[in-house]
Amino acid sequence: FIVPEHKDIFLDSIKKLESFDSIVGVEFQMVKKDKTLINVSLSAKIGNKYSEDTLDIFCILEDITFKKSCEINLESKNLEMSLLLDNIEAHVWYLKDSETYGFVNKAHADFLGHSIDYLTNRNLYEFLPKEVAEICIKGNEEVFSKKKTIHTEEWAPNYKGENRLIEVTKTPLLDSIGNVKYVICIASDITDKKNAEEILKESQERIRCLFEGSMDAIWASTVDGIIVEANQAAADMLGCSLEELINSNICDFYVNPE
């Protein structure tokens, strides 16, 4: 029996045979005698016409319940994957060959200033400056040829035209006979991190210069009095070399008054 709310779908499809000699793949739901709900697909074709009111209609009714269940499960899995990939800061994409994107996540699409649909199956030369594309392709070719994961740092312009330093891990996915089928790429924008590291390095170097060049004796020791760092002025004041001073105990240099 056809589910009541789907009867109109069935009847409308049959009426279409008045204008077309066939219909294909009309989907609706039916209820079996045991009350089981099933999904079916109807295809029909007009056969012999005996009179204005009498004709043959050949119908094929296919149970597609399992197929529909698989489609629903696949759609659910795709939604879960999209929720995961599109809500992380990391850039994720895969390569079909050294020059062609397969699919990208939202973070990577936003970085490049294009939609996910635009970048899907797109050649790198179509959305990257030539010199940038060539550098990326060279790294991609290495993964495809060596069949090994590589880690690289590559400069790439974002959608604003700003050069950003991208840390990328490219991992080959092999097929059953050992050929590279795809290359999975995961990347992070480390420009700000690198800039912060450079600023910290410069700051430490300035402090080091002040420390070593000071005319005042400066040293650092553990709670037990072991000198772990000192400047030349401290060594000169205590009458020893800097090498002798480091790792010695500060107490060794004190003369306690009686």
Side-chain angles (χ1 to χ4, degrees):
F1 304 97
I2 298 174
V3 174
E5 54 266 31
H6 285 191
K7 282 185 178 179
D8 288 342
I9 297 175
F10 173 78
L11 294 174
D12 289 343
S13 299
I14 296 300
K15 288 180 180 178
K16 288 181 180 179
L17 290 172
E18 297 176 0
S19 302
F20 306 97
D21 64 352
S22 66
I23 56 173
V24 179
V26 178
E27 297 182 4
F28 53 90
Q29 291 183 321
M30 298 184 71
V31 178
K32 297 168 67 174
K33 280 189 176 181
D34 62 2
K35 306 301 181 182
T36 303
L37 186 67
I38 61 172
N39 293 284
V40 298
S41 173
L42 171 69
S43 296
K45 182 177 178 60
I46 293 178
N48 296 319
K49 189 173 183 179
Y50 302 106
S51 66
E52 289 297 325
D53 300 321
T54 307
L55 51 79
D56 288 336
I57 299 179
F58 299 101
C59 299
I60 298 176
L61 199 62
E62 179 186 3
D63 184 344
I64 59 170
T65 305
F66 180 73
K67 175 185 174 183
K68 293 296 288 186
S69 176
C70 291
E71 289 176 353
I72 291 171
N73 288 335
L74 180 60
E75 184 178 347
S76 176
K77 292 296 183 184
N78 287 338
L79 177 59
E80 291 174 358
M81 188 64 69
S82 294
L83 287 173
L84 175 63
L85 291 177
D86 292 341
N87 289 281
I88 58 175
E89 293 184 2
H91 300 204
V92 182
W93 69 96
Y94 79 85
L95 298 164
K96 300 170 71 174
D97 56 55
S98 62
E99 297 186 10
T100 311
Y101 272 14
F103 182 79
V104 307
N105 74 336
K106 186 175 184 299
H108 193 54
D110 289 346
F111 176 85
L112 295 171
H114 295 292
S115 68
I116 292 175
D117 288 341
Y118 175 83
L119 293 170
T120 299
N121 300 320
R122 186 75 57 174
N123 189 284
L124 271 65
Y125 284 111
E126 295 182 52
F127 59 87
L128 290 177
K130 182 180 177 182
E131 60 276 12
V132 176
E134 288 175 347
I135 293 172
C136 293
I137 290 170
K138 184 178 180 181
N140 297 340
E141 289 174 343
E142 183 180 353
V143 187
F144 275 94
S145 61
K146 293 184 176 180
K147 303 179 183 180
K148 292 183 179 180
T149 298
I150 65 168
H151 305 277
T152 65
E153 292 183 2
E154 303 171 359
W155 286 97
N158 63 12
Y159 72 98
K160 297 178 182 178
E162 301 168 338
N163 268 337
R164 307 292 293 181
L165 184 60
I166 308 300
E167 184 178 54
V168 189
T169 298
K170 300 178 181 180
T171 304
L173 180 63
L174 307 182
D175 61 20
S176 58
I177 58 175
N179 294 322
V180 178
K181 188 174 183 180
Y182 303 114
V183 170
I184 310 301
C185 304
I186 301 176
S188 298
D189 185 341
I190 61 170
T191 312
D192 295 337
K193 176 186 175 183
K194 282 289 186 181
N195 289 340
E197 289 175 351
E198 286 299 319
I199 292 172
L200 178 60
K201 184 178 178 181
E202 292 173 3
S203 176
Q204 289 174 334
E205 186 61 29
R206 285 196 298 269
I207 293 172
R208 170 64 59 183
C209 289
L210 290 171
F211 175 76
E212 294 178 350
S214 175
M215 300 298 291
D216 296 321
I218 305 172
W219 68 82
S221 67
T222 67
V223 292
D224 297 324
I226 303 300
I227 297 174
V228 294
E229 195 165 8
N231 66 353
Q232 188 60 49
D236 293 343
M237 184 185 74
L238 296 172
C240 63
S241 68
L242 192 57
E243 290 76 15
E244 292 172 329
L245 185 57
I246 300 300
N247 293 323
S248 62
N249 196 303
I250 191 63
C251 296
D252 295 340
F253 297 92
Y254 281 98
V255 177
N256 295 319
E258 296 181 1

